[in-house]
Amino acid sequence: MNLILLGAPGAGKGTQAEMLSAKLQIPTISTGNMLREAMANGSELGKQVKKVMDEGRLVDDALILSIVAQRTAQPDCVNGFILDGVPRTLAQAKALDEKGISIDHVVSIEIDDAVIEGRMTGRRVCPKCGASYHITANPPQKDNTCDLCGTEVVIRKDDAPETVRNRLAIYHQSTEVLKDYYAEQNKLRLVEGNQSIEGAFQDILRALGETV
């Protein structure tokens, strides 16, 4: 089963991808991991990626999709894979089709922007030991102080309200159009994301026709 996971930043794609990978016994393929692996294995594509990143440029669609094609051709993908982080645009989705990378189901984790903002802007991290907290779901025992090392916790730049709103706007502008594209192919499966992690996971399995 070849899957794509869609969802706004903070929707829980990474967590669900890990759980699906374990349940279905297929690898999760994330853009970031693929780029790092390509550079580490010293392939010709990896050298191109390293050159682009060393120069501070963004890796273009053609290069990313070549790496996706190379990765999905590996033996561990013979029974399927989960794509997380690609495609991000309609052009990337069409390029996957053109490269013959077939997709069986596209799961979109649906969640309101207001809920996403609450999740992400409420996150806090310890700058010293890296422990993670949330001001409502998992607050430190003492106000703004890490339970493990006593350092004052902070909000990451990525979780600042204006940054979160900007990331959501980009998502809606570029990635959400993918839902229409895959709906026309009868591959889109919508799952409610504003529930427990386990509840969302069970709904995804049902949407895929898998035993819960």
Side-chain angles (χ1 to χ4, degrees):
M1 186 186 295
N2 300 340
L3 306 177
I4 291 173
L5 283 185
L6 296 179
K13 295 188 300 297
T15 299
Q16 295 298 336
E18 287 181 14
M19 295 169 71
L20 284 167
S21 177
K23 170 74 173 179
L24 303 176
Q25 294 295 294
I26 56 177
T28 296
I29 300 172
S30 77
T31 309
N33 289 344
M34 281 190 304
L35 295 176
R36 284 188 288 273
E37 286 174 11
M39 289 189 288
N41 66 28
S43 66
E44 194 57 42
L45 278 174
K47 291 174 184 175
Q48 292 179 49
V49 171
K50 187 175 188 307
K51 184 175 187 296
V52 168
M53 296 183 77
D54 284 349
E55 292 171 357
R57 294 184 287 126
L58 291 175
V59 180
D60 62 29
D61 283 359
L63 201 49
I64 285 178
L65 292 167
S66 292
I67 292 171
V68 172
Q70 188 179 76
R71 178 64 185 87
T72 56
Q74 298 300 309
D76 65 336
C77 293
V78 67
N79 292 320
F81 53 80
I82 302 165
L83 291 182
D84 177 13
V86 65
R88 289 185 181 275
T89 64
L90 189 56
Q92 288 184 355
K94 290 179 176 178
L96 283 179
D97 290 343
E98 290 165 5
K99 284 185 173 292
I101 301 173
S102 64
I103 301 299
D104 299 307
H105 301 289
V106 178
V107 175
S108 178
I109 301 174
E110 302 287 295
I111 189 163
D112 290 341
D113 284 3
V115 176
I116 292 284
E117 284 193 42
R119 283 185 180 182
M120 298 181 72
T121 60
R123 294 194 296 204
R124 299 292 184 270
V125 303
C126 175
K128 185 175 181 180
C129 72
S132 298
Y133 302 92
H134 192 281
I135 57 176
T136 55
N138 179 36
Q141 293 178 9
K142 295 182 179 178
D143 287 348
N144 295 322
T145 303
C146 177
D147 297 341
L148 301 180
C149 68
T151 304
E152 183 176 1
V153 297
V154 299
I155 185 169
R156 298 184 313 169
K157 186 177 179 181
D158 280 356
D159 293 333
E162 61 274 17
T163 305
V164 171
R165 283 191 284 270
N166 184 53
R167 291 175 67 191
L168 287 170
I170 292 170
Y171 171 75
H172 291 306
Q173 288 167 9
S174 60
T175 313
E176 271 216 324
V177 296
L178 294 173
K179 288 161 65 174
D180 292 336
Y181 180 71
Y182 287 116
E184 290 174 2
Q185 300 179 25
N186 198 32
K187 294 178 179 178
L188 183 67
R189 311 286 180 260
L190 304 181
V191 171
E192 172 58 52
N194 190 20
Q195 58 175 316
S196 69
I197 292 172
E198 185 58 35
F201 178 59
Q202 291 182 6
D203 282 353
I204 291 172
L205 291 178
R206 291 190 189 98
L208 299 176
E210 291 289 319
T211 304
V212 175

